[in-house]
Amino acid sequence: MGAGRRPPGPDGLLLIDKPPGITSHDAVAAVRRALGTRKVGHSGTLDPLATGLLLIGVGRATRLLRFLGDLPKEYAGTALLGVETDTLDADGQVVRTSGAEHVTAVALREAMADLTGDIEQVPPAYSAVKVGGEPLHRAARRGEAVAAAPRRIHVERFDLTEADLPSFGFEVTCSSGTYVRSLVADAGSALGCGAHLTSLRRTRIGPFSAADGRPPEDPGAPRPIQAAVAHLPSLTLEPEEARVARHGSILGPAGLPGPYRVHAPDGALIGVYRDAGTKAVPEVILA
């Protein structure tokens, strides 16, 4: 190693179990301190109230985090009928109360079922979604009513797990970009009494489980960088193809759907490619 050159830092994927009361940015900062590196990022935020799984990339894996964004997510949470807040969760200010005595578990289960499948969801006012280049939460804190356009999401299931009404427990499996507190609020609105989220835990992202997560201040050693794209289709290149692919060259199409990972003959991950008509173009080259 030449004089003055730093040794390579840690590289790979971390499964972090975020505690309540801190932001996802706080969790990233704690990992940076623990590992002594600046090159750290996460694949999807959790609100301060929420706990559970954060996927954090370290080193070159930060360049692969965007390929984790489309993985389905699973949550477990609790909510309270009859009380609405400005943030749609327990961290907000109460803006309305209503009687919820008329709500039965059967009616609640039906309202939740109506929010499954492909649906349109309006991001909440207190969220990081940007309108006109500014996050919605900044406008909301100034008292300005700014609405984002509805988004298409997919909710595979929104199941009632406990009905100690007006409190209830639930589990959700949904696409990326889904606001679970909005699902809870929409269910309450459909029942005529409102509702807000009281606790939330993200239990799974794709093949990754919160049960395998570690605290941000003690993240352990990262998983191999390949773990960040293990869910993508795979292609092993011939030696000459691997040589040119390391320089980001265009290759022949592989006939694989979506982005796919490309490996050298020895199994080393070169990067991620995508077919574009009669050619394959690189999306990320790690070499």
Side-chain angles (χ1 to χ4, degrees):
M1 182 178 294
R5 290 187 62 185
R6 295 181 179 180
D11 216 23
L13 186 70
L14 293 170
L15 274 59
I16 297 299
D17 189 349
K18 188 188 86 65
I22 68 169
T23 67
S24 298
H25 179 77
D26 293 336
V28 167
V31 170
R32 285 182 177 138
R33 290 191 296 270
L35 297 184
T37 182
R38 295 291 303 169
K39 202 168 184 181
V40 180
H42 64 78
S43 69
T45 61
L46 280 173
D47 292 333
L49 173 141
T51 68
L53 185 59
L54 273 178
L55 296 181
I56 288 184
V58 181
R60 293 180 303 156
T62 57
R63 302 178 61 201
L64 301 175
L65 290 175
R66 60 190 173 105
F67 300 108
L68 294 165
D70 289 336
L71 290 174
K73 298 173 173 62
E74 297 182 8
Y75 298 87
T78 59
L80 178 65
L81 295 167
V83 180
E84 299 174 77
T85 71
D86 54 2
T87 60
L88 312 185
D89 62 24
D91 282 344
Q93 299 295 314
V94 174
V95 295
R96 188 178 299 106
T97 59
S98 305
E101 298 83 2
H102 66 284
V103 178
T104 66
V106 171
L108 175 57
R109 192 174 284 110
E110 290 175 350
M112 294 167 70
D114 287 342
L115 292 167
T116 60
D118 294 321
I119 63 174
E120 297 281 328
Q121 186 182 71
V122 177
Y126 284 86
S127 69
V129 173
K130 292 183 178 180
V131 173
E134 182 182 48
L136 285 175
H137 63 79
R138 290 184 184 172
R141 290 191 176 96
R142 293 196 302 266
E144 298 177 11
V146 178
R151 294 181 167 192
R152 193 77 167 172
I153 61 167
H154 181 77
V155 180
E156 182 177 328
R157 67 186 184 101
F158 185 16
D159 294 340
L160 183 65
T161 57
E162 184 178 358
D164 185 17
L165 301 178
S167 296
F168 66 95
F170 63 87
E171 292 180 352
V172 174
T173 301
C174 56
S175 63
S176 182
T178 301
Y179 284 91
V180 177
R181 51 194 162 109
S182 291
L183 287 178
V184 166
D186 289 344
S189 294
L191 293 165
C193 61
H196 74 276
L197 182 73
T198 53
S199 71
L200 186 68
R201 179 168 177 78
R202 185 154 65 194
T203 55
R204 181 170 291 275
I205 301 175
F208 305 105
S209 172
D212 298 320
R214 294 176 61 97
E217 65 276 8
D218 182 23
R223 298 185 177 203
I225 193 170
Q226 290 92 333
V229 288
H231 60 287
L232 298 181
S234 174
L235 177 67
T236 299
L237 302 177
E238 297 294 331
E240 178 59 21
E241 287 181 310
R243 185 186 68 80
V244 299
R246 286 192 175 96
H247 298 285
S249 298
I250 290 174
L251 303 176
L256 295 173
Y260 51 88
R261 51 195 164 95
V262 296
H263 294 264
D266 63 359
L269 179 65
I270 294 173
V272 177
Y273 272 72
R274 182 189 294 270
D275 283 359
T278 60
K279 57 188 178 183
V281 295
E283 295 207 351
V284 173
I285 297 297
L286 295 175

